[in-house]
């Protein structure tokens, strides 16, 4: 029996399992193995490598290593064991300190423990081997191992590649040491009523995950797009280590004391709720690094009517600092506003992207890093109203024309002060391709947007331009106000002309109840006939 390194698992020579080299080469021929698995051995007769499966203290592969010619390792500085896998990068384990090196130079054997499923063995605390930064899943099947003995310049003194062992001294198989396929246990979604919030509590219960990247909880709704809530990285670390086998996802319909925006586990969703946005089911999706995603759809227990708002109340969002915010505004919603941040002397820079979309296809995008200014109001609080459909907008009729007809008008930003941007933001007016475009300033002055954008993503230092995109009219602008899509009807022969473009006009703004998308990274508040902030949990 070989002497053990501190983390070693040795076994009798007579009990060693033959190396499945033929199987390894067959996989390489089929293109299953990474290219690094096909390794040219260096003096393999001078190096003994024996790999076998173990399940005591940990589940994995023990690799016995011995230099059969000690004169070849007088300059040995490090031992490197590389495990090639069918999926994912190689796992590399290297020796630590001088113990492994001096043991091999003395003609004795050492054992490198390749931990696939942890047990009682403290891999991180080993004095002989550095713990590799590796993630194992049911799909990351080891397909071979390469042992290299290196000098201080990383030159290979001896090396040898062997196949994956099929069993161990006690009959342990590869299936015994590989992680099981992950999945859900008994997830549930139930109506939640409490002082913290009114909504739905989704219990995500899982087992066996080691490579989960993100949990997405989608609440499917009637008459509206779904509300989607996603996990933050800190939560995934707990799920992958087995510390969190059951996590609760709060779906906030009506806010309470719970501070949703400050959650360390879940990103803030941009869902707006109305009396008609009835939740119907919940779909939980877990994406993985090495394996297929795992998904399930579950019903909602309890009376959802008890947690829905009874009117189109204002809604307020606060732009997160660590993730983009996508606000989806259903038909019939009240006023929605976003606070981009806390301004200094009327100036604020958005920390993340803000995307707003409405049920009719209107949208607004404000990229992260956009500086927003209120040059006429240094006391501006950083709150902007999301696009709202307005009616009765009067556009002057050009000289020689009979009349103008307004096809679409929305107000965005602030009704009391002018807001400007250091880079253009994108506003989409659905179904208005081919129409003229213009804007109405605070105070009522109308200006036609005559410049056509030179590209789909123009860079403007000031002003605005327009471009058609399919059936839609896209306006790129460096300021917020009321934007209009309209058409001019030519005058009949002999008729007189009306007011010219640029004249002062009267503007009656009637809220149609449909809100449009706002730009990225803001705190959004909904307002109807009064301004009321709703603190989200």
């Amino acid at each position: 029996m070989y002497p053990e390194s501190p983390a070693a698992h040795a076994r009798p020579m007579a009990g060693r399992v033959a190396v499945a080299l033929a199987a390894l080469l067959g996989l390489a021929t089929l293109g299953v193995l990474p290219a690094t698995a096909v390794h040219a051995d260096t003096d393999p007769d001078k190096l003994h490598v024996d790999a076998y499966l173990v399940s005591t203290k940990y589940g994995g592969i023990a690799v016995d290593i011995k230099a059969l010619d000690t004169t070849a390792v007088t300059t040995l500085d490090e031992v490197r064991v590389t495990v090639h896998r069918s999926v994912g990068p190689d796992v590399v384990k290297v020796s630590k300190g001088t113990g492994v090196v001096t043991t091999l130079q003395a003609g004795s054997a050492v054992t490198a423990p390749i931990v696939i499923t942890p047990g009682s063995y403290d891999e991180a605390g080993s004095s002989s081997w550095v713990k590799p930064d590796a993630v194992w899943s049911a799909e990351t099947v080891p397909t071979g191992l390469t042992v290299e003995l290196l000098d201080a310049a990383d030159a290979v003194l001896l090396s040898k590649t062997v196949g994956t062992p099929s069993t161990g001294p006690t009959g342990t198989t590869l299936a015994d040491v590989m992680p099981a396929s992950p999945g859900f246990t008994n997830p549930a979604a139930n109506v939640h009523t409490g002082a913290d919030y009114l909504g739905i509590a989704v219990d995500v219960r899982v087992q066996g995950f080691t490579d989960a990247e993100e949990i997405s909880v989608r609440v499917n709704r009637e008459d509206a797009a779904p509300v989607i809530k996603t996990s933050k990285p800190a939560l995934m670390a707990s799920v992958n280590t087995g510390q969190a086998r059951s996590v609760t996802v709060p779906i906030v319909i009506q806010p309470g004391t719970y501070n949703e925006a400050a959650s360390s586990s879940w990103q803030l969703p941009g869902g707006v709720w109305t009396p008609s946005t009835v939740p119907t089911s919940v779909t939980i999706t877990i994406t993985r690094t090495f394996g297929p995603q795992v998904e399930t759809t579950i019903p909602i227990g309890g009376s959802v009517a008890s947690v829905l708002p009874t009117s189109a109340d204002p809604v307020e969002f606060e732009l997160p600092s660590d993730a983009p915010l996508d606000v989806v505004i259903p038909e019939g919603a009240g006023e929605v506003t976003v606070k981009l941040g806390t301004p200094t002397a009327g100036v604020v820079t958005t920390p993340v992207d803000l995307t707003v979309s409405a049920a009719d296809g209107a949208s607004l995008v404000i990229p992260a890093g956009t500086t927003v200014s209120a040059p006429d109001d240094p006391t501006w609080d950083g709150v902007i109203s999301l696009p709202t459909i307005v009616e009765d907008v009067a556009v002057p009729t050009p000289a020689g024309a009979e009349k103008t007809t307004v096809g679409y008008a929305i107000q965005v930003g602030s009704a009391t002060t002018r807001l400007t941007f250091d880079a253009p933001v994108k506003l989409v007016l659905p179904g208005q391709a081919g129409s003229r475009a213009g804007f109405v300033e605070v105070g009522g002055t109308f200006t036609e947007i005559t410049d056509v954008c030179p590209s789909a993503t123009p860079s403007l230092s000031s002003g605005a331009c327009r471009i058609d995109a399919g059936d839609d009219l896209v306006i790129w602008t460096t300021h917020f106000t009321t934007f209009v899509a309209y058409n001019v009807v030519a005058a009949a022969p002999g008729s007189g002309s009306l007011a010219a473009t640029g004249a002062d006009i009267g503007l009656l703004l009637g809220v149609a109840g449909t809100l449009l998308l706002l730009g990225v990274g803001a705190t959004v508040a909904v307002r109807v006939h009064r301004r009321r902030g709703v603190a989200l949990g």
Side-chain angles (χ1 to χ4, degrees):
M1 180 176 292
Y2 287 144
E4 293 184 334
S5 60
H9 284 270
R11 64 174 186 168
M13 287 285 292
R16 296 195 181 123
V17 178
V19 176
L21 186 57
L24 174 67
L25 295 177
L27 289 171
T29 303
L30 293 173
V32 174
L33 298 185
T36 52
V38 183
H39 181 85
D41 292 341
T42 302
D43 291 332
D45 293 339
K46 297 182 179 181
L47 181 64
H48 176 84
V49 176
D50 186 31
Y52 50 97
L53 298 169
V54 294
S55 59
T56 302
K57 295 186 178 180
Y58 68 90
I61 304 171
V63 185
D64 288 346
I65 306 167
K66 182 178 181 181
L68 302 179
D69 181 358
T70 57
T71 62
V73 294
T74 56
T75 60
L76 179 63
D77 182 72
E78 181 181 83
V79 179
R80 178 185 300 159
V81 180
T82 302
V83 183
H84 315 295
R85 303 190 294 179
S86 58
V87 176
D90 290 345
V91 174
V92 180
K93 192 156 196 175
V94 297
S95 58
K96 179 194 295 185
T98 61
V100 170
V101 170
T102 56
T103 298
L104 289 173
Q105 288 175 329
S108 298
V110 297
T111 301
I114 307 300
V115 178
I116 296 176
T117 54
S120 61
Y121 165 56
D122 182 11
E123 185 179 19
S126 171
S127 60
S128 300
W129 300 96
V130 177
K131 182 185 179 193
D133 183 15
V135 175
W136 291 87
S137 73
E139 293 78 16
T140 58
V141 180
T143 56
L145 304 97
T146 297
V147 176
E148 296 169 300
L149 275 55
L150 311 171
D151 64 15
D154 277 347
V156 177
L157 303 176
L158 299 174
S159 67
K160 191 169 187 176
T161 297
V162 299
T164 302
S166 59
T167 188
T170 60
T172 302
T173 67
L174 195 57
D176 295 330
V177 302
M178 293 299 297
S181 296
F184 295 103
T185 51
N186 56 337
N190 293 287
V191 167
H192 175 87
T193 58
D196 51 349
Y197 69 93
L198 299 180
I200 304 167
V202 181
D203 293 323
V204 180
R205 299 165 184 151
V206 298
Q207 64 180 6
F209 281 93
T210 58
D211 63 338
E213 293 183 336
E214 183 181 77
I215 300 175
S216 172
V217 176
R218 185 179 78 237
V219 182
N220 307 302
R221 303 190 294 177
E222 293 180 0
D223 299 327
V227 172
I228 300 175
K229 199 162 189 177
T230 57
S231 58
K232 289 185 176 180
L235 175 63
M236 302 316 300
S238 297
V239 171
N240 286 328
T241 57
Q243 298 177 29
R245 297 180 182 273
S246 177
V247 294
T248 299
V249 190
I251 305 299
V252 178
I253 296 177
Q254 296 189 63
T257 59
Y258 167 56
N259 186 0
E260 187 176 19
S263 172
S264 61
S265 300
W266 302 101
Q267 305 287 2
L268 179 68
V272 176
W273 294 85
T274 73
S276 63
T277 56
V278 179
T280 57
S281 63
V282 172
T283 299
I284 307 171
T285 303
I286 302 180
T287 56
R288 301 172 57 210
T289 302
F290 302 121
Q293 69 179 28
V294 181
E295 184 174 278
T296 185
T297 297
I298 56 178
I300 301 171
S303 172
V304 295
S306 63
V307 295
L308 288 173
T310 56
S311 62
D313 291 332
V315 174
E316 179 176 330
F317 289 96
E318 182 174 354
L319 186 64
S321 61
D322 58 352
L325 178 64
D326 294 334
V327 179
V328 180
I329 305 174
E331 186 176 357
E335 186 181 5
V336 179
T337 62
V338 173
K339 183 171 183 179
L340 303 176
T342 302
T344 300
V347 177
V348 65
T349 300
T350 57
V352 295
D353 290 344
L354 173 61
T355 302
V356 182
S357 58
D360 67 349
S363 65
L364 176 67
V365 177
I366 300 178
T370 301
T371 297
V372 187
S373 305
D376 303 326
D377 184 8
T379 64
W380 174 59
D381 60 3
V383 174
I384 61 174
S385 296
L386 295 184
T388 303
I389 293 178
V390 293
E391 298 174 340
D392 300 325
V393 176
V395 174
T397 301
E402 178 182 344
K403 63 178 180 179
T404 59
T405 58
V406 175
Y408 200 93
I410 55 174
Q411 185 183 58
V412 60
S414 172
T416 60
T417 188
R418 177 183 174 87
L419 298 178
T420 63
F421 306 91
D422 68 339
V425 299
K426 181 181 180 182
L427 186 64
V428 176
L429 279 58
Q432 299 302 313
S435 299
R436 295 191 181 190
F439 57 86
V440 181
E441 296 280 14
V442 175
T445 301
F446 174 81
T447 302
E448 183 178 3
I449 301 174
T450 57
D451 289 342
V452 177
C453 301
S455 68
T457 55
S459 57
L460 301 174
S461 58
S462 64
C465 66
R466 50 148 299 158
I467 188 172
D468 290 343
D471 295 332
D472 302 329
L473 172 63
V474 177
I475 295 175
W476 288 88
T477 177
T478 57
H479 70 282
F480 272 167
T481 184
T482 298
F483 293 89
V484 183
Y486 68 99
N487 291 285
V488 175
V489 179
S495 63
S497 62
L498 300 178
T501 298
D504 290 343
I505 63 173
L507 178 62
L508 301 177
L509 302 180
V511 178
T514 302
L515 299 177
L516 302 179
L517 299 177
L518 262 188
V520 175
T523 296
V524 179
V526 175
R527 302 179 180 119
V528 182
H529 299 296
R530 62 191 184 281
R531 178 172 175 176
R532 177 167 70 87
V534 180
L536 298 184

